[in-house]
């Protein structure tokens, strides 16, 4: 997506000087300053990126995973720092944690269009550190303050390791997508349609401004197609947190987080005309391969404030 930022600044200053002297002269001075419009083109993420980086899979320690990521309200766990830093205040003594993990994702994929296309199972397994960190617990001199603690931790927030494969036969061709983009106002740009034009997947043979594809010669032909996709990466957060516990009834915490994301993927799509008819089902077309590679990395900063209220032993309120 591309957009524009328009920054407009108006500054109006009115200065009025009044004098009660001879002739009661009044002078009005007005100043106006208008700064030029400033326009900048932005190239940002797509919908897939937004979904990928906004869905967290809080992991952390094995204990946090075992209780369904509720340690943000229970506290006294390193995982709580990434969800509610007030949980750090529940620690009574210093400790360090290391939580290794083995992550496995299973995927079943099928080409839905067409008939009798197989279901293909894929598994992607990766070793990871779900959490490691340290808490320094101190007891203040005040009788009501139970603990004032400082913690440093790295918590795993999301896993991007995936793999899937599909294959089968169905009508249509990827070249039709390139054709629609080129004829629909996009024209020949530097990415999809530009590559397709250079590879002669789309062409303007009569030079009438309308792009054609080989598949137009037999728009009901079945092609053999498939795609393999591999992705890897993770989203983790480095946190520096401070928390306190007052009379075992109220805990508060603040944290400064540094999320770190890395993601890479490779997709290879292929289609071919494997018809037994002489010359194939589509004139001039044999096969097509389309590769996509994406690498993303980023670092940010955030701040969190959390509280835990424990009016009695059976109820805890967390925010």
């Amino acid at each position: 997506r591309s957009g524009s930022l328009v920054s407009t600044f108006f500054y109006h200053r009115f200065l009025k000087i009044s004098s009660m002297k001879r002739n009661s002269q009044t002078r009005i001075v007005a100043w106006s300053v208008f700064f030029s419009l400033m326009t900048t083109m932005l190239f940002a993420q797509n919908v897939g990126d937004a979904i990928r980086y906004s869905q967290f899979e809080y992991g952390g320690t094995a204990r946090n995973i075992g209780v369904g990521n509720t340690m943000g309200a229970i506290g006294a766990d390193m995982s709580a720092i990434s969800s509610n830093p007030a949980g750090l205040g529940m620690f009574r003594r210093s400790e360090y944690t290391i939580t290794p993990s083995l992550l496995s994702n299973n995927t079943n994929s099928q080409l839905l269009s067409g008939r009798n296309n197989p279901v293909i199972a894929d598994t992607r397994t990766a070793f990871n550190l779900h959490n490691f960190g340290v808490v320094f617990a101190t007891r203040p001199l005040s009788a009501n303050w139970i603990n004032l603690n400082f913690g440093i931790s790295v918590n795993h927030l999301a896993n991007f390791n995936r793999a899937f494969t599909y294959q089968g036969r169905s009508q249509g061709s990827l070249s039709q997508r390139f054709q629609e983009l080129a004829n629909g106002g996009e024209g020949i740009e530097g990415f999809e349609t530009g590559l397709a034009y250079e590879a002669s997947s789309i062409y303007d043979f009569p030079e009438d401004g309308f792009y054609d594809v080989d598949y137009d010669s037999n728009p009901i032909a079945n092609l053999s197609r498939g795609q393999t996709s591999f992705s890897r990466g993770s989203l983790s957060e480095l946190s520096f947190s401070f928390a306190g516990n007052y009379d075992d009834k109220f805990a508060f915490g603040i944290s400064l987080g540094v999320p770190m994301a890395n993601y890479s993927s490779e997709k290879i799509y292929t289609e071919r005309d494997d018809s037994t008819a002489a010359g194939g089902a589509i004139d001039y077309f044999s096969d097509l391969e389309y590769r996509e590679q994406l690498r993303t990395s980023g670092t940010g900063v955030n701040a969190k404030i959390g509280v835990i209220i424990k009016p009695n032993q059976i109820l805890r309120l967390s925010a």
Side-chain angles (χ1 to χ4, degrees):
R1 294 286 183 179
S2 64
S4 64
L5 291 180
V6 180
S7 176
T8 307
F9 180 76
F10 294 95
Y11 176 60
H12 294 277
R13 182 182 179 188
F14 296 90
L15 176 62
K16 182 176 181 180
I17 302 175
S18 300
S19 175
M20 299 303 295
K21 294 182 180 181
R22 188 171 50 183
N23 299 325
S24 301
Q25 296 180 354
T26 302
R27 183 176 300 173
I28 300 175
V29 179
W31 302 87
S32 297
V33 179
F34 175 76
F35 287 98
S36 301
L37 297 180
M38 293 177 291
T39 303
T40 303
M41 299 302 297
L42 299 181
F43 298 91
Q45 291 79 17
N46 58 25
V47 175
D49 294 322
I51 294 175
R52 181 185 308 117
Y53 300 124
S54 62
Q55 296 186 348
F56 295 159
E57 306 166 1
Y58 288 108
T61 63
R63 177 169 54 181
N64 182 60
I65 298 174
V67 297
N69 189 38
T70 59
M71 296 306 296
I74 300 173
D77 189 88
M78 294 297 295
S79 306
I81 295 177
S82 289
S83 55
N84 184 354
L88 182 69
M90 296 297 183
F91 279 92
R92 296 300 183 91
R93 60 186 181 183
S94 301
E95 71 173 51
Y96 67 89
T97 62
I98 300 176
T99 308
S101 61
L102 189 65
L103 305 175
S104 180
N105 288 309
N106 302 316
T107 306
N108 293 325
S109 306
Q110 183 183 28
L111 178 63
L112 296 181
S113 59
R115 295 183 179 180
N116 302 321
N117 292 322
V119 177
I120 301 177
D122 288 280
T123 301
R124 190 143 175 103
T125 303
F127 176 81
N128 196 10
L129 279 177
H130 252 63
N131 161 270
F132 62 91
V134 60
V135 174
F136 302 97
T138 60
R139 291 184 175 271
L141 298 178
S142 173
N144 291 328
W145 284 100
I146 307 300
N147 279 91
L148 292 176
N149 303 332
F150 175 75
I152 303 174
S153 70
V154 175
N155 285 315
H156 177 85
L157 300 182
N159 169 41
F160 302 138
N161 292 283
R162 300 284 190 276
F164 69 83
T165 304
Y166 68 83
Q167 62 185 21
R169 292 177 58 82
S170 65
Q171 294 181 354
S173 171
L174 183 64
S175 60
Q176 293 176 295
R177 168 182 169 79
F178 306 142
Q179 181 187 33
E180 290 180 2
L181 291 175
N183 292 329
E186 293 286 340
I188 302 298
E189 39 78 24
F191 293 94
E192 292 185 69
T193 56
L195 295 174
Y197 182 78
E198 291 179 5
S200 298
S201 179
I202 59 175
Y203 48 86
D204 184 8
F205 180 70
E207 298 184 356
D208 58 356
F210 184 85
Y211 293 94
D212 303 289
V213 295
D214 294 335
Y215 192 77
D216 290 338
S217 65
N218 189 358
I220 61 172
N222 283 297
L223 295 178
S224 177
R225 72 185 74 247
Q227 185 179 50
T228 59
S229 173
F230 299 94
S231 64
R232 65 178 59 189
S234 63
L235 177 63
S236 300
E237 183 179 62
L238 170 64
S239 297
F240 303 89
S241 305
F242 177 79
N245 180 359
Y246 185 82
D247 201 25
D248 266 343
K249 294 185 179 298
F250 174 79
F252 79 96
I254 59 176
S255 70
L256 177 68
V258 181
M260 299 167 288
N262 66 88
Y263 175 79
S264 64
S265 70
E266 181 176 9
K267 299 178 182 180
I268 304 175
Y269 171 86
T270 59
E271 64 182 42
R272 66 182 183 276
D273 183 2
D274 57 359
S275 172
T276 57
I282 302 174
D283 296 337
Y284 310 112
F285 178 80
S286 175
D287 59 81
L288 178 150
E289 181 178 287
Y290 182 56
R291 290 175 175 260
E292 297 174 86
Q293 291 182 326
L294 172 64
R295 289 181 176 86
T296 304
S297 62
T299 303
V301 62
N302 61 60
K304 301 183 184 71
I305 300 176
V307 296
I308 296 176
I309 301 174
K310 188 171 66 172
N312 53 57
Q313 290 298 322
I314 64 173
L315 178 63
R316 295 193 185 197
L317 304 176
S318 171

